[in-house]
Amino acid sequence: MIGVYDSGYGGLTVLRELQKELPDVDFVFLGDSGRAPYGGRDAHAILDLAESCVERLFEEGCRLVVVACHTVSCVGLRHLQQHYSNDNRRILGVTIPAAEAAVARHPRAVAWLGTTRTVHSRTYEVEIHKLDPALPVHGIAAPLLAPLVEEGLGNGTDAEGAQLTRLAVRRYLRHLPAETDCLVLGCTHYPLLSEAFQAELAPHIHLLDPAPVVARALSDWLRRHPEFQETGTGSLRVLCSGDPQVFQRQGSRFLGRELPTVQHISEESGRLAHRSGPQVPQGQVVREFRKF
Ligand code: DGL
């Protein structure tokens, strides 16, 4: 069973590609939607959130966890690997496959778009320069885009929503250096804005969605690590820390099909536990004091 982790719904665009590439593998997806967005948060806050999510996935029985979230991959992947990886457990991210795919196109200049924290980390720049130190790389923070997608705007039939997203995309693309011919979508949500990107980008600029690349990289990794290969039935379980009904409804836009029943996990004293009782409590919540 492979765990896939994202701050919210966006990672379902990655899961969709993983399931296409590995149809017999069983997956558990954890979307931390109750605590998203991560993109504007402090790096240490992101590490705290990420620790509780990967621990939950290991407790679910996963031996391998894919961090689909670009923000977490850019800021906290090394920390998570150093803390949790051993002969029996591994954690993989999205930044290295995405950087390799960008460099493999031999572009004149690469730009990548992501959350504020992703861009400030400069991790993409570091990974790309390990492969080609002379390649110009430019990061653009686009904090409005993920929330627009979460609101259901972007690709689709809502004309006003499409106009709004095109305006936001246009505003960020203004910062593209002139020589750019490859734009990396460095956020799990952006594939849902592909129509706005295609409309606003010059035709010679290649739009690189890392999700299919990550799927091929995972399949290649599994071939090289047969001890982590497990044959399953292609099953899927979905856990989220937000409202599970909303997650189920919204998530289908990202996964491209209906989601199975979403289970609620809730944060209690830094841990993500399964919830019984009302999924989303209303009114005041009183609980036992753990520490003071
Ligand atoms: N999943 C995040 C990423 O790929 C975007 C949403 C967020 O800010 O939490 O960077």
Side-chain angles (χ1 to χ4, degrees):
M1 205 158 50
I2 298 180
V4 181
Y5 157 46
D6 185 52
S7 60
Y9 312 108
L12 293 167
T13 61
V14 179
L15 177 67
R16 170 167 153 168
E17 298 299 328
L18 300 181
Q19 287 190 307
K20 260 193 234 164
E21 183 74 27
L22 301 161
D24 298 328
V25 168
D26 296 331
F27 286 99
V28 182
F29 182 87
L30 190 159
D32 199 7
S33 54
R35 306 187 293 180
Y38 284 12
R41 285 182 187 255
D42 171 73
H44 285 278
I46 292 170
L47 296 192
D48 286 343
L49 299 172
E51 283 178 10
S52 62
C53 290
V54 299
E55 282 174 16
R56 181 70 258 157
L57 285 168
F58 287 132
E59 280 163 24
E60 294 294 321
C62 302
R63 294 171 60 227
L64 180 60
V65 170
V66 176
V67 176
C69 180
H70 289 263
T71 306
V72 176
S73 288
C74 280
V75 171
L77 185 67
R78 191 165 305 154
H79 168 81
L80 296 173
Q81 288 174 328
Q82 284 181 8
H83 258 64
Y84 299 106
S85 286
N86 59 30
D87 288 348
N88 227 348
R89 283 195 318 224
R90 291 298 168 87
I91 303 182
L92 304 173
V94 292
T95 46
I96 294 176
E100 284 172 350
V103 172
R105 297 192 55 83
H106 304 294
R108 279 169 53 218
V110 175
W112 88 90
L113 216 54
T115 65
T116 304
R117 187 58 51 215
T118 293
V119 171
H120 282 183
S121 75
R122 301 181 88 100
T123 299
Y124 268 113
E125 216 163 309
V126 170
E127 293 305 337
I128 287 174
H129 283 161
K130 279 184 196 163
L131 303 166
D132 182 349
L135 184 60
V137 183
H138 184 75
I140 302 171
L144 281 178
L145 298 188
L148 282 172
V149 178
E150 298 254 334
E151 283 299 312
L153 309 180
N155 293 353
T157 48
D158 173 354
E160 201 179 37
Q163 221 178 348
L164 208 61
T165 49
R166 268 185 75 164
L167 217 56
V169 164
R170 189 179 308 159
R171 192 178 169 90
Y172 291 126
L173 292 184
R174 230 179 255 155
H175 303 291
L176 271 189
E179 71 277 18
T180 307
D181 52 0
C182 177
L183 176 66
V184 182
L185 299 182
C187 173
T188 50
H189 288 58
Y190 299 170
L192 269 82
L193 297 174
S194 57
E195 285 172 13
F197 283 117
Q198 298 294 1
E200 294 297 328
L201 272 180
H204 72 280
I205 301 177
H206 178 77
L207 199 57
L208 198 154
D209 172 11
V213 177
V214 169
R216 284 195 294 278
L218 175 62
S219 149
D220 189 50
W221 188 91
L222 286 170
R223 263 192 297 279
R224 287 182 283 112
H225 297 84
E227 68 279 17
F228 282 92
Q229 280 176 20
E230 287 168 19
T231 335
T233 56
S235 69
L236 173 62
R237 285 182 57 216
V238 181
L239 315 173
C240 84
S241 59
D243 184 324
Q245 272 141 20
V246 174
F247 198 93
Q248 187 152 4
R249 218 175 32 247
Q250 295 280 14
S252 57
R253 285 190 295 125
F254 293 79
L255 190 63
R257 61 184 168 84
E258 292 300 305
L259 263 69
T261 304
V262 177
Q263 290 171 281
H264 187 218
I265 44 171
S266 99
E267 186 193 3
E268 280 185 36
S269 308
R271 290 174 61 79
L272 284 171
H274 282 282
R275 261 258 149 265
S276 53
Q279 301 266 11
V280 183
Q282 288 192 326
Q284 301 201 35
V285 177
V286 178
R287 69 173 197 203
E288 235 174 85
F289 260 51
R290 299 245 159 78
K291 48 188 170 200
F292 184 63

